[in-house]
Each structure stands twice: as C-alpha cells, then as structure tokens.
Amino acid sequence: MIVAGFARLFVTGRQRISSLKAQQSKRYYEAFRLKQKNRVSILSVVPGGHQQSAKIIFDDSPSTTVNFKYIWLRDNCKCSQCVDKSTKQKLIDTPSIDVNIRPERLNVNKGGQLVVEWVEKGQSHSSIYEPEWLLRYSRCFIEDNFASPVDEEHASERPPLTLWDRTTIWKNLPEISYEEVMESDKGLALWLEMFHRFGTALLRGVPTTKGKIIEVVKRFAYVKETSYGVTFDVVAEPDPEHLAYTGTHLHHHTDMNYREKSPGMQLLHCLKSTDIKGDGSDPGGLSFLVDGFRAANWLKENEPAAFHILSATPVRFQISVNGMKFSQTWPIICTDNEGKVTEIHYNNRTMGPLQAPTHLITPFYHSYHLLTEKIRTESMQFAFHLAPGDLLAFNNRRVLHGRTSFDDTRVSRHLEGCYVDIDETMAIYDFLRNKV
C-alpha cells in the first residue's frame, strides 16, 4: 500500500515540477510580514521591601505587575561598563555581586524606562532598562517556572514555524532561484526564511558542477565536515559503506542521530538524474520529505500517552563507518521544559536494541508504530524527483527525508551532499532580516 501511494505521489510530484518549470516567473512562496507591536512603557516602580525586589507595573493590556529581584537587575545591567557593545558579552563579574544588594534609588524616566541607581564600593552606578526587554524576560517570574522567551534576542522576532502536510507545502512552495540567493542579500534572506518556516527550501538552477554546493554554503555559513568527508556523494556503489549509496528504498529518517549532536542542516545538490530507458514509467528514486514536528504534534494531540513515551524513553542510535563505531542516546521526540517539540531523532536503520524496563517495551513499540504510521501517511508527504540543478536544504532535526528504490542499471543518479551547523545559518538569517 505504501509503494502504491508513492507511485501516485510520483505522478503528482512530476506534474507539479513540470508545471513549475513552465511558470518560473511566478512566485509560490509568500514572504512573512511581522506586525508592528505597540510600544510598552513602565507606569510605576516601587521597592519590594524585605523581598529584595522591585515591583514594576507595565502599561500593557491588561496591566502586568512583576517583581524583579535586585540581584537579577544588577546582573543584567546593559550599560557599556557591564556589557560589551560589539559582542554583547557580559563584562560584569556576576559572582562578585553582593547577593543582598539594594539600590539607592528607583524611578521611571520620561521615556518609560526603568532607572536604577546603585552604590558599589563607594562608587555610584546607573542602570537603565528598556520596558520591552524587562517584559520579555519576566515570564518565568510571572509563571513561577523556568520559561525562557528566546535563545537569543533576534529569535523572538522570527516568523512562526509553518507545520505542513502535502497540501500546505505545495500551495506555498518554498523555492527560489540560484541567482537570487547568490546575487542579493534580499534573496538570501528570503531563502533562509523559507528554511526557517518550513524546515526545507529549494534552490533552482544551481550549476551542475561538483563542489558548487560548497560555494552555496559559503554564502551564509560553512560546511561541517564529518566522518563522510567535507561533502559526500550519493551514488550507487558496488561495495557501499552506507545504504544511501545503493538503490535500496530508504524509509523516512533523520541523519547521524548516533553523533554527539546530529547536524542541524543538510543540503543535497542534484548533479545528474537520468532515466536511461525513458519509457515514461516511474524510474524510481523519488525523494520525499515529511514535517516531523507536525507528525509529533499530531501524536501529542491524539495519542498523548504515546507522545510521552517517545519523548521520555532514551533510544540508542549506532553505526560503524570504515571501522569506526559511533553511538549516542536520544529520545525520538525531544521537547523543551514546556513540552514543545524541539527535535526529532528518527532512523530505524541505526536504532540499537531498546534498553528499557520490561513493562515499557510493548508500550514503546506501540507508540513507535503510531508515529511511523502517521509519518508514512500519504497526505503527509512532500514528494518529487530532484532534477539536475536542484539544491534541497532541510532541517535535519525537524524534517524526515527518504527515497524510493531505483534500478541503477536504468537510472543514473548523482547527488552531492553536505551538512551545516544550523545556528550559523540562523545567525545569518537574523542579521539579514534586520538588515534588509
């Protein structure tokens, strides 16, 4: 049934790709536009007495009141003496601050900012805090938990992720031309925005020259070298070191879960894809992607017990490459402290024997089956044939990828791939988004 489903996907995917090539001037992807936020200011601030904190009232709606500890405020002063303006690294020595520190004065200036005057070793020190910044980092104090708004400042302004299925992604196809990305910062920013929102993005018209993938990566980051080299070639080989280098059907998976940290971004550049017989039938080698975050969230909503098991059970992934053994343990679904899905680690081929208490074995396999069933559902698939000149990028910790089998006596297929540290990619995206 799965094979038949992929055959239908092939026809749909091939028709859509042909249609796209005939309408290259049309942009399917619509860029996200941030709504302007209303500026927040501070209405008042009063000392918290014995609590060694300042009670701050903001003018948002409804009005928010938050207690900020003095030690926390002093540690997060943003003046040039306490923070390097270029790198944003802290200059203040946190352990040297008196835990029981108290300010000399608290007030709100005409701009609605909090101004705190300190006296340290006989010297006065002034700290000014933006109300938006204070409100952003107040959530953990309000909710009395470990909530963190962002990993870094710019992330709070990124567009929300778009969790997609086959219909969603074909309606807003994340694709752009090679020239746009290589010749303009606006084009690069748009491509990286697609990658951020959908976890995948296509680059069209890349010259089919080996090594060109490195030039593309250098436009925004650097290649992460692995045990497979700086780049790797996905071609059928007579004595392969990996199943990807055969014509075998590759089920949905994420790469290198057996490493200390699996690469966050993967790129595949199609150098050659030729149907030698060319009789119009399906030659195989169909690429397919699935949004792992959408599948995991579906599991969370519909099978919460299964979601809990897959996010709480450590699974060992392992492999032997050229005599070297790699092994690492991850849950299949990784979440943050609020239960939000942050990573997917899924590869049946590299999963080791499950090591868990006896009473959890059957529930784990049942949960694994439920997730896999959803992942392989036809409506979840973004399936297509990569054509020469196509370069596919995807988030390796979110999007699962795979390929239907092909006969290497009939299909001549060559992909060049590489990995990239995703934080480098997102740092450039944040920089460009604010620049352009």
Side-chain angles (χ1 to χ4, degrees):
M1 182 169 63
I2 292 174
V3 173
F6 280 123
R8 290 192 294 273
L9 287 171
F10 163 70
V11 174
T12 304
R14 185 169 54 179
Q15 291 172 343
R16 287 301 299 268
I17 294 294
S18 299
S19 175
L20 289 172
K21 289 182 177 179
Q23 304 178 50
Q24 289 182 349
S25 61
K26 184 175 181 179
R27 168 83 70 203
Y28 281 75
Y29 178 82
E30 296 179 4
F32 181 83
R33 293 290 178 264
L34 285 168
K35 295 180 179 179
Q36 292 294 325
K37 297 180 181 179
N38 294 327
R39 180 172 173 79
V40 177
S41 62
I42 297 173
L43 292 177
S44 66
V45 56
V46 294
H50 66 281
Q51 295 181 355
Q52 295 182 318
S53 62
K55 180 179 289 187
I56 300 176
I57 302 175
F58 297 89
D59 72 345
D60 55 332
S61 180
S63 181
T64 302
T65 301
V66 188
N67 285 312
F68 289 88
K69 293 292 186 180
Y70 294 138
I71 178 67
W72 188 92
L73 288 171
R74 182 63 190 91
D75 184 39
N76 289 285
C77 175
K78 298 298 181 184
C79 78
S80 59
Q81 295 178 48
C82 297
V83 174
D84 181 82
K85 294 301 180 184
S86 177
T87 65
K88 307 301 181 185
Q89 295 182 78
K90 287 169 65 174
L91 300 175
I92 186 172
D93 181 38
T94 302
S96 68
I97 303 173
D98 182 356
V99 175
N100 298 311
I101 190 171
R102 289 176 178 271
E104 284 290 301
R105 283 179 297 278
L106 296 167
N107 66 81
V108 179
N109 64 18
K110 293 180 179 179
Q113 300 165 308
L114 172 66
V115 180
V116 183
E117 302 290 340
W118 315 91
V119 174
E120 300 171 327
K121 298 178 181 180
Q123 301 292 319
S124 61
H125 187 93
S126 179
S127 300
I128 300 177
Y129 304 88
E130 293 293 336
E132 291 88 354
W133 186 89
L134 287 171
L135 195 58
R136 182 187 306 146
Y137 284 93
S138 67
R139 188 173 161 196
C140 59
F141 307 138
I142 296 171
E143 300 177 1
D144 199 25
N145 59 24
F146 293 93
S148 178
V150 288
D151 290 330
E152 36 81 14
E153 297 283 336
H154 295 308
S156 62
E157 300 171 2
R158 291 176 188 165
L161 301 184
T162 299
L163 305 188
W164 52 267
D165 58 11
R166 181 180 62 186
T167 301
T168 306
I169 200 163
W170 276 117
K171 282 183 177 179
N172 204 14
L173 191 67
E175 65 163 2
I176 194 171
S177 73
Y178 168 77
E179 288 77 13
E180 285 181 88
V181 168
M182 299 301 286
E183 295 175 6
S184 76
D185 286 348
K186 184 177 181 181
L188 176 59
L190 183 59
W191 188 61
L192 294 180
E193 179 186 289
M194 297 174 187
F195 175 82
H196 162 68
R197 288 183 62 191
F198 292 92
T200 185
L202 273 164
L203 206 54
R204 303 285 195 188
V206 181
T208 53
T209 306
K210 190 170 170 57
K212 186 61 69 172
I213 192 171
I214 298 177
E215 291 183 28
V216 172
V217 171
K218 286 182 176 179
R219 182 79 174 89
F220 60 90
Y222 58 85
V223 173
K224 179 181 179 68
E225 186 172 3
T226 69
S227 54
Y228 299 108
V230 176
T231 64
F232 54 89
D233 296 288
V234 184
V235 292
E237 298 177 347
D239 187 20
E241 64 181 30
H242 197 286
L243 282 177
Y245 307 153
T246 70
T248 303
H249 181 103
L250 298 178
H251 280 297
H252 304 82
H253 64 283
T254 57
D255 278 10
M256 302 183 78
N257 307 287
Y258 45 80
R259 297 304 299 260
E260 178 185 19
K261 190 69 176 178
S262 57
M265 185 180 194
Q266 183 173 172
L267 297 93
L268 292 171
H269 179 204
C270 183
L271 301 177
K272 181 195 285 188
S273 182
T274 306
D275 180 1
I276 297 173
K277 289 187 178 180
D279 59 6
S281 61
D282 181 4
L286 179 72
S287 299
F288 47 84
L289 305 177
V290 162
D291 188 346
F293 283 10
R294 185 181 180 103
N297 278 290
W298 175 90
L299 194 70
K300 185 177 182 179
E301 293 172 6
N302 295 275
E303 300 285 351
F307 178 87
H308 174 73
I309 289 171
L310 294 185
S311 60
T313 305
V315 174
R316 183 163 295 282
F317 296 90
Q318 55 194 27
I319 199 171
S320 179
V321 180
N322 296 325
M324 297 184 294
K325 294 181 179 180
F326 298 93
S327 178
Q328 192 56 256
T329 305
W330 297 100
I332 289 177
I333 300 173
C334 294
T335 62
D336 61 16
N337 55 21
E338 297 179 300
K340 181 180 178 182
V341 178
T342 57
E343 295 181 7
I344 302 294
H345 295 275
Y346 181 104
N347 193 327
N348 193 66
R349 290 177 286 114
T350 59
M351 278 179 62
L354 179 62
Q355 300 290 278
T358 303
H359 70 278
L360 291 179
I361 299 298
T362 300
F364 173 86
Y365 281 105
H366 176 67
S367 303
Y368 185 45
H369 173 81
L370 289 173
L371 178 62
T372 300
E373 192 175 53
K374 182 61 178 179
I375 287 170
R376 295 181 183 178
T377 300
E378 188 175 325
S379 62
M380 292 286 288
Q381 314 300 315
F382 174 33
F384 51 92
H385 269 291
L386 280 172
D390 288 347
L391 190 152
L392 175 68
F394 54 91
N395 183 335
N396 183 53
R397 300 186 204 133
R398 171 185 172 183
V399 173
L400 294 84
H401 65 287
R403 180 201 68 208
T404 60
S405 61
F406 64 92
D407 182 353
D408 58 7
T409 65
R410 175 181 170 182
V411 176
S412 179
R413 187 174 185 269
H414 184 184
L415 307 181
E416 185 177 19
C418 70
Y419 300 104
V420 175
D421 284 324
I422 198 168
D423 53 350
E424 291 284 338
T425 303
M426 299 315 297
I428 291 295
Y429 168 55
D430 290 330
F431 173 77
L432 290 175
R433 183 173 41 76
N434 288 282
K435 176 183 176 183
V436 302

